[in-house]
Amino acid sequence: MSRPLGYYTNYSPGDDSLLERVQEKYGSGFEKMSKREKLSILMILASNLGNQLEGGVRGEIYAAAREMTDQLSPSDQAGIMEAIISQVRWGQNAEPVHHS
């Protein structure tokens, strides 16, 4: 992370929030976490956000993700993650899929 946590969140220094405690413990750019730990947090947060949404996930999406993990370089996988995070955060989403 090239920018501090406050750039990406509502954290304000001195606000005595969870974000402040996280930054104090792990660094403003999570530099005190391993890559594996960062990815674990990403996985947990993504799962939590996904569980709050309506609709299902098409089987083809699981198949596409499996192909990506099997065939793409780690750099390209991280690039896809970055693109999806940006799209989720800033509202570039298709309508939910409803299964009958």
Side-chain angles (χ1 to χ4, degrees):
M1 178 187 303
S2 58
R3 299 180 190 253
L5 187 58
Y7 176 83
Y8 300 97
T9 66
N10 288 321
Y11 166 66
S12 297
D15 68 5
D16 196 34
S17 65
L18 172 61
L19 293 173
E20 181 168 71
R21 292 189 303 274
V22 166
Q23 179 167 296
E24 287 174 359
K25 188 165 188 172
Y26 302 110
S28 65
F30 298 118
E31 61 272 8
K32 297 176 187 173
M33 280 186 199
S34 70
K35 186 181 280 190
R36 185 179 189 112
E37 291 168 333
K38 292 173 192 176
L39 290 169
S40 292
I41 288 177
L42 185 61
M43 181 178 62
I44 293 163
L45 293 176
S47 179
N48 180 61
L49 288 175
N51 288 334
Q52 295 177 39
L53 300 174
E54 303 254 340
V57 178
R58 294 169 282 170
E60 68 189 77
I61 300 303
Y62 292 108
R66 174 53 58 199
E67 284 185 283
M68 290 176 196
T69 61
D70 290 346
Q71 298 178 31
L72 296 178
S73 69
S75 178
D76 283 343
Q77 290 178 45
I80 287 175
M81 291 168 52
E82 186 174 3
I84 289 172
I85 288 168
S86 178
Q87 292 163 9
V88 166
R89 184 159 193 201
W90 303 113
Q92 299 170 324
N93 303 308
E95 291 299 314
V97 176
H98 298 283
H99 297 279
S100 358

